[in-house]
Amino acid sequence: MEGSKVGLVKDLPLGLDPTTEEEYTSQSNLLEEFTNISNIDKAWTFKSGSVTDSQGMFLISQPNLLANKRRKFILSTQITKESPTSVNLQWAPFPVEMTGVSVIVPSPSGTKLLVVRNPENESPCKLEIWSQSQLDKEYHVPPTVHGSVYTDGW
C-alpha cells in the first residue's frame, strides 16, 4: 500500500502546498509578461528638408532577466504630417540592438550619432561617431586616461 501513492503525489518543498505553488507560478508568468514590455528611455526628433516630414529615433530598453542586465535598442521612424490633426509614422522594420553601449547621443541635426561603449573589463572605452550609413571615426580611450562615461546626472 505504501507504494501505491508514490507516483501520484508530487514532492513539494517544505511548507509549499499545491495552491501556493500555483500562485507562485501565476506570479512568475505575470512577471515574465511584464518584463517582455519594452520601455522608451529617450526619444529624439529631427527636422528634414520638407515642412511636412521629420525623423524620429527612439532608445528602447528591455530587461534581460537571465543576464541581470538591460538590452538597448535603437528604432527609427519617418514622421509625415498628413494634415493639421494627422501624423503618419513609417517605422523601421526592426530595432537594432546596441550591445555594450552605455551612452547614445545624436547630433542636433540628426546626421551623426555618438555611441559610447564602456567595456566591463580593463579594455579601453570606445567613442564611435556614426553617420547615416557607416562608422566615421572610432576612438579608443584607455582607462588610464578616462574611466567609464555616464550621462545619469552624477
Side-chain angles (χ1 to χ4, degrees), residues 79-101:
I79 305 167
T80 305
K81 186 175 182 181
E82 295 180 336
S83 72
T85 59
S86 176
V87 174
N88 183 24
L89 300 174
Q90 294 293 321
W91 294 96
F94 303 102
V96 177
E97 185 171 8
M98 304 299 285
T99 306
V101 172

Side-chain angles (χ1 to χ4, degrees), residues 6-104:
V6 172
L8 300 177
V9 177
K10 181 178 173 184
D11 291 335
L12 295 173
L14 187 61
L16 186 63
D17 59 37
T19 305
T20 305
E21 181 187 26
E22 186 177 315
E23 183 178 332
Y24 284 170
T25 301
S26 173
Q27 289 177 2
S28 176
N29 291 337
L30 188 60
L31 174 63
E32 186 176 358
E33 287 179 32
F34 278 131
T35 58
N36 286 332
I37 298 172
S38 298
N39 297 318
I40 297 175
D41 296 335
K42 292 185 180 180
W44 300 271
T45 57
F46 310 101
K47 293 182 179 180
S48 63
S50 169
V51 175
T52 59
D53 292 341
S54 56
Q55 297 175 1
M57 188 171 75
F58 296 84
L59 175 61
I60 300 169
S61 66
Q62 184 178 25
N64 180 350
L65 295 179
L66 294 176
N68 196 25
K69 294 183 179 184
R70 293 188 74 75
R71 290 185 171 163
K72 294 182 182 181
F73 304 89
I74 288 285
L75 183 60
S76 57
T77 184
Q78 182 71 30
I79 305 167
T80 305
K81 186 175 182 181
E82 295 180 336
S83 72
T85 59
S86 176
V87 174
N88 183 24
L89 300 174
Q90 294 293 321
W91 294 96
F94 303 102
V96 177
E97 185 171 8
M98 304 299 285
T99 306
V101 172
S102 61
V103 179
I104 299 168

